Amino acid sequence: MALHFVFPQTLTSLEEDNDSDCTHLTVQNPFPVSSLPPPELEEFVKGVSFDLSDKELFCVEEQEVFDRVYSLVKGFSGLTPACKFNLAEALRSNFSVLLPNVDSLCRRVSLSREDGNDGGDDDHLAVDRVASHRNAFKIYSFFLVHIVLIEESSLGSPNVAAKGVVSGRKKQTVNLWNWDAQRGRIMNLIANSLEINLSLLFGSCDPDENYLSFIVKNAFSMFENPSLLKDSDAKDALCRIIGTCATKYHYTTQSCASIMHLIHKYDYVVIHLADAIAGAEKKYADGSLATTLIREIGRSNPKGYVKDTVGAENIGRFLVELADQMPKLLSTNIGLLVPHFGGDSYKIRNALVGVLVVASGRLEDKSAIVRKSALNLLIMMLQHNPFGPQLRAASFEATLEQYKKKLNELSPKDPPENSDNLSSDNDASGGESGVENGEFENDLKNQDSLTDSCVAEVADGTVQVDNSVPDVGNVEQTRTLVASLEAGLRFSKCLSSVMPTLVQLMASSSSSDVENTILLLMRCRQFQIDGSEDCLRKMLPLVFSQDKSIYEAVENAFITIYIRKNPVETAKNLLHLAIDSNIGDLASLEFILGALVSKGDITASMLSALWDFFCFNIDGTTARQCRGALSVLCMAAKASPSILSSHLQDIVDIGFGRWAKVEPLLARTACSALQRLSEEDKKKLLSTNGTRVFGILEYLISGFSLPENIWYAAADTAISAFYIIHPTPESIAADLVKKSLNSVFDSNGGSELQADMDSDNPNVLTSMQVAKLSRYLFVVSHVAMNQLVYIESCLRKVQKANAKKEKMDAENKNLDVNTRSDAQKDDGINSELGLAASEDAMLDSLAERAEKEIISGGNAGKNLIGHCAHFLTKLCRNFSLMQKYPALQASGMLALCRLMIIDAEFCESNLQLLFTVVENAPSEVVRSNCTIALGDLAVRFPNLLEPWTENMYARLRDQSVSVRKNAVLVLSHLILNDMMKVKGYIYEMAMRLEDEDGRIGNLVKLFFHELSKKGSNPVYNLLPDILGKLSSQNLNGESFGNIMQFLIGSIKKDKQMESLVEKLCNRFTGASDVRQWECISYCLSQLAFTEKSMKKLMESFKTYEHVLSEDIVMEHFRNIINKGKKFAKPEQKAIIDEFEEKINKYHNEKKEQVLTEKNAQVHQQKVSNIESFVATKKEVDESGESEITEDEVETGNSEEAEVLHSKSKPTRSTTRSEASSEVTELELEDDEFQSPFIPPRGASKYTMEKSSIKSENIHPDPSTRKNTRSKRR
């Protein structure tokens, strides 16, 4: 058995330890390779290469072979290119064969040990063989690594390069030695050797320290060579070597020290080292190397980077690269870097901005895990940022501007010698400047107070004096402060720029995205990032989420942001939130406030503070704050109506008092408060202030104290308040309608006005009458709607009382057995007679009759609403008047829609008018209102609206964005709630996926997403029809592809995919348009094919064989085949290949057939043109209107002959003009003209022969002409 090999310190150390008592393999007889003549040297190399290839793989451990290989490697730089190639290739090929043998041998030994076999001599032989393989493994690795080191060092020697040039000039030979290719192959082989299982080869989990130290040390030394890193293969191999040794074989500590040394010293290694670390983490799922490096960076002294500016910059770049490739790991360990974020080196702090930019870019990554890691990283970086607790961009901009001025003033005052060294001082920052920078950092940590003061001065307009900012010292310190402020400004702006992305993430289907986005926004608000407050407002609708974790995240965020220990602060936060919120946010705010009141998170002291704001008990309270406080109290009263009990008088006095004139919306809020009163409070109010309250409400509705834009909202809530708190609201509502009517019309009830309207006179109204008429129509329609709601509430009260009475009778009666049996007998008789059911039917009949009487019941002359309805119909049909007064049309159509919702007969009689207006009205407000009303009508009277379904879908094509958006919302609500059947017009909704307005496209995507969840996915059944409709629309290819790709993506089941293949193939038979063929084939190519679906596609070949002539269709089928080959088994792949050949064959045949048919059609058309021309000429010749001379006859015959001659000689025509078939006048000197007709290849032989015979007379000489004339005579 040979001696074992130990890696020496250097290559030549193998000669130094050649004692006879040495226990490891060394060089005993080195050969003087450098003294050999070239021929002998080549023979020597060939002999060594032959031995390596002819003997066993581990022959290299034999002393003679080992000495000869060592000698050649030692003198490798002096070898000829051919010798270098032979030696390197022999060692490389042997090593590449050895690796799989090592792996298989180790597995056999391992299996033998696991089985417990004791083979005696066989075991010893196996152990000896493993040792030989281990020796050979080490020796090959050793020599190959040194070949790379020697060759790389020789490439940098100028004399070697010159020598190579001279030798190249002497003899132009084929250079076998391409080092660039060999280097990559050798390095990849060494990297592969580390990735096999070396544990059994070395007898432990990790290879011995001697081997790993050799590999790692030389790998890092190669990393210092910039030219080697330019070779992508060699660079990738080096990255694999470093990553494998540090991660797989736990050589982490030593590797980290080398990596840190390289990063500090060389800037070109930063990106490649980051690639190596990220690659190791991805391959072995172990981030220990990256974590150790981050920990080492965190442990280093931040002040050291003040002097080492190159190292600081490289470390910063390295962190940015890690953030880009490993955001999750960096976010987990970002806390280790906190000491540097507030350190003395601003370059490290600048790196924080770079990391932030990278992380913000990852927020749009497709992977939810990556997005989560990026969000966590941003949270951690924001929490530990070095720029201060307030990151408003205005603060940084104001402060930065002042210090830039200060820097410009200080720079010229320094001596020239100092100014020459400014750049070097800035980079080195050594000596006293490092100490001064450290002192400056103490000021920078308090930067928030500095920037805030500047913002205040900017607001006052006084920040024009240079001494308005603190003096931080000399030029260098001021320059460092400017750099830090610029970094802080970039940091703030970068966070502000991701706000739109965060808003989108809050709508993500991943709950982790939503939760982490909310956490980040909370942190941004804490640091006053621009735009964070508005983004948090958009969090409020998430309280309606069905996901409990999302709701809890919103609730916790709301409590953290708005609920404070100080009740006054809490009240102020809530009232400002209510003031600035839109309708949607107010609904969300009401929901969450109700939940917090129920839980007790809104305490009595907070409610008391809100009452103080409402009652102006707090100094500086404005009318707007008063209204906001009452609005919050109304929201809280929904969960606990007793909240309003203690301040009933204040609500009336303040809500409808003088402050209502200052803040007009206060009266509306007070009306809302009256609607939230409990039954006890209503009775109390009626008994104490009933008359006054009703008088105020009546004045609010009939008076003109409120602005026009606010009156409608206030009147809405006032009328609703009447119906809630008044004991007999119909009586007071009638008075309201009468007063409103009298304010518009004179004593004759408006008969003159109606007469003028009947005559379609557009000048019948004045502007004042228009305003009063609009208000009257609003009052009438809103009273009618509230009357309908009131009737339904009365019906529910009666039904509830009856149910309660029956329940109490069943529970409280203590009857004896006889009495109970009699009662049961009576109940049985009543049920048989239907008396119980008749009572419910009677209630329903009464309710229906009451509803009908609102508009069309009773005497029309005594029915106020019915009288108005007749007038309203005439008014809305006067289109000239409506066009002149758009505001009147808006009020009139809104009132008409409300009355149509109440009464079915009135609805049916005015549907035609409604759809005419919704299609042709010039005002988009009118069209939007009518579109929304159509949804309500479809819910109330579905049978009446069913014939108008197509017209409802037509609103999706409206020019106005708001109309299309409302149409999408209305149709989505009706379809998803099963109030409208999905018909063939659904393609109109699909087309909105590519709407020019992104919000509409997102709403439609949400609609189809929710629709796909219903039952067995209706999208699957609708897809073929949608495809058929869209293929006939004027859609560009990209839009069509996007629409169908989205719809197909909502189909997940394999069975449905398989059925779609058959359905789509069958549509080829009914499609005759090429565009339809292309669309169907495109949709087929977008399906997810399985083995069964591929089989169905092949079986349906007859349905689409006729469309394979089209190139685009064929391209889609090729895409399908490529998909099928990816998942196909070998036998299935052969079938797919056969199918591919089949469709290719049909494609070529069909294409040639189509081409032939086209040529035949062209030929037939041209023949018809010639025949018609000849017939026309013949008719002209035979007419007797003029004399026919001999010359004319001759010319005519020559023309006819020429035409026929042109058939037989198509090549004579050099210009092919098919546009004209006119016959020009022929001159006597030239009787020949060229026909535009070009005969096809398929012309008959007979025709050609006939033409050739006639062509003989085309150019006759004079004698021939005379003979011809005589013959004709």
Side-chain angles (χ1 to χ4, degrees), residues 33 36 38-52 68-69 71-73 75-76 79-88 90:
V33 176
L36 293 177
E40 294 183 13
L41 179 61
E42 291 183 6
E43 290 298 324
F44 183 78
V45 173
K46 288 181 180 178
V48 172
S49 300
F50 179 78
D51 288 343
L52 290 173
R68 293 160 67 194
V69 172
S71 302
L72 289 174
V73 172
F76 191 81
L79 299 180
T80 62
C83 293
K84 288 181 178 181
F85 176 79
N86 290 335
L87 178 62

Side-chain angles (χ1 to χ4, degrees), residues 448-458 468 470:
D448 58 314
S449 60
L450 197 157
T451 53
D452 287 345
S453 63
C454 287
V455 170
E457 291 171 352
V458 169
S468 62

Side-chain angles (χ1 to χ4, degrees), residues 724-770:
I724 289 177
I725 63 177
H726 200 281
T728 56
E730 63 275 9
S731 60
I732 197 168
D735 294 336
L736 284 175
V737 173
K738 290 176 183 178
K739 288 185 178 181
S740 183
L741 177 64
N742 293 331
S743 67
V744 180
F745 303 109
D746 52 19
S747 58
N748 59 13
S751 58
E752 295 180 2
L753 179 61
Q754 292 193 29
D756 290 339
M757 287 172 50
D758 292 340
S759 62
D760 291 339
N761 182 12
N763 300 318
V764 67
L765 294 173
T766 63
S767 59
M768 187 61 185
Q769 284 180 311
V770 168

Side-chain angles (χ1 to χ4, degrees), residues 866-907:
H867 183 73
C868 175
H870 178 70
F871 165 77
L872 180 60
T873 303
K874 287 188 176 183
L875 178 67
C876 292
R877 291 180 187 275
N878 191 336
F879 296 115
S880 58
L881 182 66
M882 296 294 99
Q883 188 173 2
K884 184 176 181 181
Y885 300 106
L888 180 60
Q889 186 181 30
S891 299
M893 290 307 302
L894 182 61
L896 181 71
C897 292
R898 284 177 171 175
L899 297 185
M900 289 173 67
I901 290 172
I902 296 171
D903 190 88
E905 293 180 4
F906 187 77
C907 175

Side-chain angles (χ1 to χ4, degrees), residues 14-15 17-18 25-30 63 66-67 70-71:
L14 289 172
E15 297 184 43
D17 300 331
N18 57 0
L25 186 61
T26 58
V27 176
Q28 300 296 328
N29 298 307
Q63 189 66 56
F66 180 80
D67 291 348
Y70 164 78
S71 302

Side-chain angles (χ1 to χ4, degrees), residues 1102-1114:
K1102 289 292 182 182
T1103 61
Y1104 56 80
E1105 63 176 348
H1106 63 286
V1107 306
L1108 294 177
S1109 59
E1110 298 298 324
D1111 292 335
I1112 297 178
V1113 174
M1114 193 62 192

